[in-house]
Amino acid sequence: MSNPKLEVLTPQNSQLIFIDQQPQMAFGVQSMDRQTLKNNVVGLAKAARVFNVPTTITTVETESFSGYTFPELLDVFPEQKVLERTSMNSWDDQKVRDALAANKRKKVVVAGLWTEVCNTTFALCAMLEGEYEIYMVADASGGTTKDAHDYAMQRMVQAGVVPVTWQQVLLEWQRDWARRDSYDAVMNIAKEHSGAYGMGVDYAYTMVHDAKQRTATSHEALAPVHAPVIAR
């Protein structure tokens, strides 16, 4: 019998869900730097947009305590409907189940807060009751402590969840640099969100391939002017 988890992620066989990427939830994250977390979440979102991967955004208790979804994430998907819940477990909300089912893809990439609560309960239930394959984006998810995140990831992996990282998902969807229709967009995501790798891409483009600088406006560089040295 073939193992579906041996299949690589493609834009045609996977879908994405963001769970509770909200300020109050992020305030409690201690497992990683929170600005890095947001950077990775937005990079993953942009990847889904480039490859037209169906994406669900769900939130919990937005106006009572969690706050609104990161605006940088919402702006990636203009007019996207956000699925509000009361349950910590997204699987308990029928709108979420319906959204996943409508996409007709069993591979579900997940990025959410917190790892040990909302991500774990969703993953276990979606696998048990919905027969989905769950791919948990470890560096676009966060827990209240490093131990909370790490042990939640271990529990999910033992149950059959596949751990991934956001850039891994991006490049797995791209797969081949000969795919020119998405090449430039993928490289733009790398430049903006991939840290040192993105800096290296910028350097190679401008210094090796003589590309223009990646700025929204032009900036003139003034030549050096040596000031006189006064002998004392």
Side-chain angles (χ1 to χ4, degrees):
M1 181 180 295
S2 63
N3 181 354
K5 293 178 183 177
L6 296 179
E7 301 169 354
V8 299
L9 295 172
T10 72
Q12 292 74 38
N13 70 9
S14 54
Q15 60 176 303
L16 172 63
I17 183 170
F18 289 106
I19 299 175
D20 304 347
Q21 297 288 356
Q22 299 164 266
Q24 183 61 47
M25 305 304 297
F27 293 160
V29 170
Q30 299 293 326
S31 59
M32 66 181 296
D33 176 76
R34 282 164 284 193
Q35 188 60 43
T36 301
L37 168 70
K38 182 190 279 190
N39 172 79
N40 296 350
V41 166
V42 176
L44 178 63
K46 290 179 179 179
R49 183 185 62 188
V50 166
F51 292 103
N52 296 314
V53 173
T55 299
T56 301
I57 301 174
T58 182
T59 52
V60 65
E61 293 294 306
T62 294
E63 296 188 0
S64 63
F65 67 89
S66 293
Y68 295 100
T69 300
F70 300 146
E72 297 90 345
L73 170 56
L74 292 178
D75 284 345
V76 176
F77 304 104
E79 308 303 323
Q80 175 90 17
K81 292 182 179 179
V82 177
L83 308 184
E84 179 74 4
R85 315 181 323 276
T86 60
S87 172
M88 288 178 278
N89 183 354
S90 300
W91 187 254
D92 291 343
D93 192 280
Q94 190 61 47
K95 299 189 304 300
V96 174
R97 296 190 194 187
D98 291 345
L100 297 175
N103 293 328
K104 299 180 179 180
R105 303 178 184 195
K106 285 298 184 179
K107 297 182 186 295
V108 182
V109 179
V110 181
L113 306 176
W114 298 322
T115 317
E116 68 270 28
V117 183
C118 306
N119 291 15
T120 298
T121 55
F122 169 78
L124 298 179
C125 290
M127 289 190 298
L128 178 65
E129 299 177 29
E131 298 183 347
Y132 288 100
E133 300 167 39
I134 302 298
Y135 295 77
M136 189 63 58
V137 189
D139 61 351
S141 302
T144 54
T145 67
K146 188 174 186 304
D147 278 347
H149 174 80
D150 291 346
Y151 285 117
M153 289 296 300
Q154 288 186 35
R155 180 184 179 190
M156 288 188 283
V157 169
Q158 289 173 352
V161 169
V162 180
V164 292
T165 59
W166 83 268
Q167 190 165 255
Q168 175 185 359
V169 174
L170 165 69
L171 298 180
E172 204 158 320
W173 282 338
Q174 172 67 23
R175 186 164 181 167
D176 190 335
W177 293 122
R179 295 178 175 174
R180 306 305 297 184
D181 57 333
S182 55
Y183 179 94
D184 288 338
V186 167
M187 295 311 294
N188 285 336
I189 294 172
K191 293 173 191 176
E192 294 173 4
H193 295 278
S194 293
Y197 174 65
M199 296 176 196
V201 172
D202 266 332
Y203 181 85
Y205 272 42
T206 56
M207 306 306 292
V208 178
H209 301 292
D210 202 29
K212 293 182 179 180
Q213 295 182 62
R214 184 174 57 89
T215 55
T217 58
S218 60
H219 298 268
E220 181 183 0
L222 301 179
V225 177
H226 295 287
V229 177
I230 300 175
R232 296 185 183 277

